[in-house]
Amino acid sequence: MAQINKSSDYFNTVTWTGDDTTSRAISGVGFQPDLTWIKGRSLSVSHLLQDAVRGTGGSYTLKSDATAGDGTNTQGNVSAFSADGFTVAEGSDVDHTRAVNNGSETYVSWNWLGANGTASNTDGSITSTVSANTTNGFSIVSYTGNNTAGATVGHGLSQEPDVMIFKNRSDGTTSWCVYHSAKGTSGTGRLNTTNSFSDTAFITTTPSSSVFTLTNTAIVNGSGNNMIAYCFAEKKGFSKFGSYTGNGSSTDGTFIYTGFKPAFVMVKRTDAAEGWGMFDDKRDTYNPVMKRVEANDSAAERTDLIWYDFLSNGFKARQSYDLINASGGSYIYMAFAENPLVGTNNIPATAR
């Protein structure tokens, strides 16, 4: 198994300030991303998700805060991926570059490395097109739904995915669906809403090391619909997908062990209606972590509260609010490393 000593070779966050140019190269990612997720920080504007499997340009944009399908984010797009980042381009509506490069507005993007290419996967009953990176445990899976309960789709990771994020690209009325191994088949969430993890009809079978299994619902398996799934499998020292229980304290909040200093954390309360809080080490370069956006919300970044401390081996809640640390509240999280304590082969990693 390949070792990850430098996490930023596989996941990285970059920020920039818009300049109103119609086409602008954003560099500093450190690799050619296969998934780029952009959010305007200083303005209220939808999230933009674009990946190399679906394609670049305005026809292949998705919004995590909306049910809209492909091509509906007309305020800007990723027009190309490059060796050190990506190019953003103006959209077709009156706001032009609002979602990606509006003058003097600030932006953040989170970037993941896939395979920098695609392969046909026939492991499941539905053939998929996959960009899979088994080193960092990330794959992008494109398939066409058949509305058949029990249909299977190959994900290419060679281990069970811990998180799967689905979107029906053809149907603009269906929510995003999120499976998390900490909840398993007891309930899934919806990325575009604050809903609790109460949906039990979408993923009813634990994924295997080669495939995930679908129900006959449009949200994951619409008949003849173009579907996309982002799949993540845990890798020691690089990623952690788990759960915790809040203790309701703002002075000695819950500590969550990850085995690395986080570069990015997304948290969702699963037993109540709360947003998907997103935090990273490029917007907050030192503790405390205060800058927050929510995957389900187009609102601008909030900077008025202390949320977490990012520590060498995990993160610690510094707030008692229900979003992250309600007393007895149940939470799931996704975390990616800035600095691992050990590499993925259990050997102490070189300091970076």
Side-chain angles (χ1 to χ4, degrees):
M1 180 178 66
Q3 181 181 358
I4 299 175
N5 268 352
K6 187 178 179 183
S7 300
S8 58
D9 285 344
Y10 298 89
F11 168 82
N12 207 1
T13 303
V14 296
T15 62
W16 68 95
T17 300
D19 65 7
D20 269 338
T21 55
T22 59
S23 181
R24 179 179 175 184
I26 305 298
S27 60
V29 173
F31 55 85
Q32 181 175 315
D34 290 281
L35 171 62
T36 292
W37 181 334
I38 296 172
K39 177 67 180 82
R41 301 170 55 192
S42 57
L43 72 169
S44 178
V45 65
S46 281
H47 294 248
L48 168 68
L49 285 82
Q50 203 134 12
D51 63 72
V53 173
R54 287 181 298 129
T56 54
S59 297
Y60 301 104
T61 57
L62 290 172
K63 305 174 184 180
S64 66
D65 53 288
T67 62
D70 265 341
T72 55
N73 195 334
T74 59
Q75 296 180 329
N77 60 79
V78 173
S79 60
F81 293 106
S82 60
D84 189 34
F86 51 91
T87 299
V88 292
E90 71 174 357
S92 59
D93 74 359
V94 68
D95 291 309
H96 296 300
T97 58
R98 182 173 170 79
V100 292
N101 198 36
N102 221 46
S104 76
E105 304 289 0
T106 55
Y107 296 86
V108 61
S109 77
W110 305 284
N111 302 274
W112 287 266
L113 176 67
N116 282 170
T118 62
S120 178
N121 186 301
T122 57
D123 289 342
S125 59
I126 297 175
T127 297
S128 57
T129 300
V130 175
S131 177
N133 191 316
T134 56
T135 299
N136 67 344
F138 171 62
S139 69
I140 304 169
V141 184
S142 176
Y143 61 97
T144 301
N146 64 9
N147 196 38
T148 300
T152 56
V153 178
H155 52 68
L157 290 179
S158 300
Q159 70 180 92
E160 296 176 13
D162 290 282
V163 174
M164 302 184 294
I165 303 175
F166 296 86
K167 182 66 184 79
N168 187 324
R169 302 160 49 194
S170 302
D171 186 340
T173 67
T174 58
S175 287
W176 295 74
C177 176
V178 182
Y179 165 91
H180 195 292
S181 57
K183 289 292 292 181
T185 58
S186 66
T188 57
R190 302 186 183 215
L191 190 65
N192 55 294
T193 77
T194 62
N195 292 6
S196 64
F197 266 53
S198 56
D199 294 316
T200 59
F202 304 136
I203 298 295
T204 58
T205 302
T206 302
S208 75
S209 60
S210 58
V211 301
F212 52 78
T213 302
L214 305 172
T215 56
N216 59 339
T217 55
I219 201 167
V220 295
N221 194 17
S223 179
N225 291 166
N226 296 321
M227 311 293 303
I228 198 76
Y230 303 122
C231 300
F232 303 87
E234 189 171 296
K235 294 292 182 177
K236 186 178 181 68
F238 172 74
S239 59
K240 186 74 173 175
F241 310 106
S243 63
Y244 67 91
T245 301
N247 67 9
S249 174
S250 57
T251 56
D252 188 19
T254 300
F255 168 73
I256 300 94
Y257 176 82
T258 59
F260 51 76
K261 183 178 181 183
F264 170 89
V265 173
M266 182 160 68
V267 171
K268 175 70 176 78
R269 186 172 181 183
T270 60
D271 62 341
E274 294 291 340
W276 298 77
M278 303 176 76
F279 313 88
D280 63 69
D281 67 343
K282 296 299 193 299
R283 291 177 294 147
D284 282 298
T285 56
Y286 52 86
N287 287 322
V289 175
M290 298 180 66
K291 297 179 175 66
R292 169 191 121 234
V293 294
E294 295 181 19
N296 55 282
D297 196 342
S298 63
E301 179 179 84
R302 292 282 299 273
T303 62
D304 56 336
L305 293 171
I306 294 173
W307 296 100
Y308 292 108
D309 280 340
F310 283 178
L311 307 175
S312 62
N313 59 349
F315 57 104
K316 184 176 179 64
R318 293 281 307 277
Q319 185 57 258
S320 60
Y321 280 17
D322 289 354
L323 183 81
I324 68 161
N325 194 33
S327 179
S330 297
Y331 298 86
I332 54 95
Y333 66 88
M334 300 174 58
F336 296 90
E338 176 189 342
N339 294 315
L341 292 179
V342 296
T344 50
N345 60 356
N346 295 321
I347 296 173
T350 304
R352 296 283 179 174

